[in-house]
Amino acid sequence: LITNINFLKDKLKEKGYKLNKQRKQIIEVINENKEKHLSIDEIFNYAKNMNSDIGIATVYRTLAMLVEIEYVVKMDFDDGVSRYEFNTNSDTHKHHHLICIKCGEIFGLEEDLLGNVEEYIFRKEGFLIKDHKVKFYGYCKRCNGSTKK
Amino acid sequence: LITNINFLKDKLKEKGYKLNKQRKQIIEVINENKEKHLSIDEIFNYAKNMNSDIGIATVYRTLAMLVEIEYVVKMDFDDGVSRYEFNTNSDTHKHHHLICIKCGEIFGLEEDLLGNVEEYIFRKEGFLIKDHKVKFYGYCKRCNGSTKK
DNA sequence: GTTGGTGCAAAATCTTTGCATCTGG
DNA sequence: CCAGATGCAAAGATTTTGCACCAAC
């Protein structure tokens, strides 16, 4: 958390951005919900409950900024709104999501499994991969019934 | 193409859907732009140029239907609109996209590279994968300069 | 004929923007 | 101070919906 704040302050200074009450609150909401994928509206409501002095336009603008400095990642789960997720680590990029097509739950996967695939693509296609966004659709442990095998 | 039309007619009959002029035109647009990722508005304009007798609401409704019968796949490329792509083959699912972060071009990749990864995820997490959507971000052959290595 | 589909326009969402005011550095 | 940020409300953009009429099957 201390690391987060310092990282943020450096990044903001670098870009000439300021850190005020609203931005601190939005960042706090994101930090306290690292495992979730909050929408703008959800972030707005969380922040509003902490302090009514914030407008939704500020949330849109702040999230665009946090995407730019790579503090968060913008995601799309086909539910009509953009969702945002704390960027766990941009070097060992691992935006993998397992989406259950029965219960709808979204599970994060904290491993980078695609190193080999990305090397293969570079060798075969000459395309140099820097990041990826991966969504796997299927049945979660609870919904596919088979805890065995 | 013949195969397509028969597949479609079967699927539609199965669901009780009808095949009319507007739907035929939309399907034609999709078939003739298999390598592209058209937005609703683009599909609407292509179809309108073939026959002015179509409304954009019909395009929205028809694409929702084509997603349902898995004739097309809905994609999101962070440009504010949903885009649709012909579903090359749902068994050997291969919705891989290489997105160049310099020139913006989107390349399709027609291989399924994730079989091993998906097996691994099932063994480790018990999550049974049926499909995936994968976007790789990086520099394309032209933009990374290195045709060698 | 029935059932589902269409175009249109209105409505609902989601997101962006203009502007007067405020505030962090 | 002054550049950047805010809240608000208006505007934009995308998508959905109600309804009277039309057309596949």
Side-chain angles (χ1 to χ4, degrees):
Chain A
L1 294 149
I2 301 283
T3 325
N4 274 341
I5 288 298
N6 285 338
F7 166 81
L8 269 167
K9 284 191 174 162
D10 288 352
K11 275 287 187 183
L12 295 181
K13 192 179 290 176
E14 187 182 300
K15 301 262 183 181
Y17 297 146
K18 294 171 182 173
L19 186 57
N20 57 19
K21 202 166 89 180
Q22 290 89 338
R23 290 183 174 182
K24 279 180 193 154
Q25 288 180 325
I26 290 170
I27 289 161
E28 195 180 332
V29 169
I30 291 166
N31 285 343
E32 289 180 352
N33 292 280
K34 286 220 173 89
E35 76 294 345
K36 292 190 192 166
H37 313 92
L38 299 178
S39 66
I40 291 288
D41 207 54
E42 288 165 349
I43 295 168
F44 172 62
N45 283 307
Y46 277 107
K48 207 177 180 98
N49 290 341
M50 295 161 64
N51 171 353
S52 61
D53 221 21
I54 192 168
I56 199 160
T58 297
V59 184
Y60 274 101
R61 288 185 282 228
T62 299
L63 267 291
M65 181 199 75
L66 293 176
V67 168
E68 189 198 340
I69 67 173
E70 298 181 299
Y71 188 75
V72 300
V73 177
K74 189 177 186 176
M75 302 291 307
D76 172 80
F77 293 112
D78 285 317
D79 64 348
V81 290
S82 289
R83 295 183 171 276
Y84 297 84
E85 179 180 68
F86 177 71
N87 186 5
T88 36
N89 187 327
S90 58
D91 280 349
T92 61
H93 41 95
K94 42 191 150 191
H95 313 126
H96 300 69
H97 292 95
L98 309 179
I99 301 165
C100 183
I101 54 184
K102 191 169 175 201
C103 71
E105 188 141 357
I106 298 169
F107 304 86
L109 197 56
E110 297 302 322
E111 283 182 76
D112 188 9
L113 305 164
L114 301 189
N116 292 336
V117 170
E118 296 180 355
E119 269 177 44
Y120 173 81
I121 291 171
F122 182 66
R123 285 199 310 273
K124 181 155 182 267
E125 305 284 337
F127 192 100
L128 182 62
I129 292 165
K130 290 299 193 182
D131 198 3
H132 57 230
K133 290 187 184 177
V134 179
K135 292 181 278 188
F136 291 106
Y137 297 87
Y139 298 98
C140 73
K141 196 182 281 185
R142 257 178 303 168
C143 289
N144 73 39
S146 66
T147 40
K148 63 178 187 305
K149 173 67 194 34
Chain B
L1 293 149
I2 301 283
T3 324
N4 273 342
I5 288 299
N6 285 339
F7 166 81
L8 270 167
K9 284 192 173 161
D10 288 352
K11 274 287 186 182
L12 295 181
K13 191 178 289 177
E14 186 182 301
K15 300 261 184 183
Y17 296 147
K18 293 171 182 173
L19 186 57
N20 58 19
K21 201 167 90 180
Q22 290 90 336
R23 290 183 174 181
K24 279 181 193 151
Q25 287 179 326
I26 290 169
I27 289 160
E28 196 179 332
V29 169
I30 291 165
N31 285 344
E32 289 180 353
N33 291 280
K34 286 219 173 90
E35 77 293 346
K36 292 190 193 168
H37 313 90
L38 299 178
S39 67
I40 291 288
D41 206 55
E42 288 164 351
I43 295 168
F44 173 62
N45 283 306
Y46 277 106
K48 206 178 180 96
N49 290 341
M50 294 161 65
N51 170 354
S52 61
D53 222 21
I54 192 168
I56 198 160
T58 297
V59 183
Y60 274 101
R61 289 184 281 227
T62 299
L63 267 291
M65 182 199 75
L66 293 176
V67 168
E68 190 198 340
I69 67 173
E70 297 181 300
Y71 189 75
V72 300
V73 178
K74 188 177 186 176
M75 301 292 307
D76 172 78
F77 292 113
D78 286 318
D79 65 347
V81 291
S82 289
R83 295 183 169 277
Y84 297 83
E85 180 179 66
F86 177 71
N87 187 4
T88 35
N89 187 327
S90 57
D91 280 348
T92 61
H93 41 95
K94 44 191 151 189
H95 314 127
H96 300 70
H97 291 95
L98 308 179
I99 302 165
C100 183
I101 54 184
K102 191 169 173 198
C103 71
E105 187 142 358
I106 299 169
F107 304 86
L109 197 56
E110 297 302 323
E111 283 182 75
D112 187 9
L113 304 164
L114 300 189
N116 292 336
V117 170
E118 295 180 355
E119 271 178 41
Y120 173 82
I121 290 171
F122 182 65
R123 284 197 311 273
K124 182 155 181 267
E125 305 284 337
F127 192 100
L128 181 63
I129 292 165
K130 290 298 193 182
D131 198 3
H132 57 230
K133 290 187 182 176
V134 178
K135 291 181 279 189
F136 291 106
Y137 297 87
Y139 298 98
C140 73
K141 196 182 281 186
R142 259 178 300 165
C143 290
N144 73 40
S146 65
T147 38
K148 65 177 185 304
K149 171 72 193 34

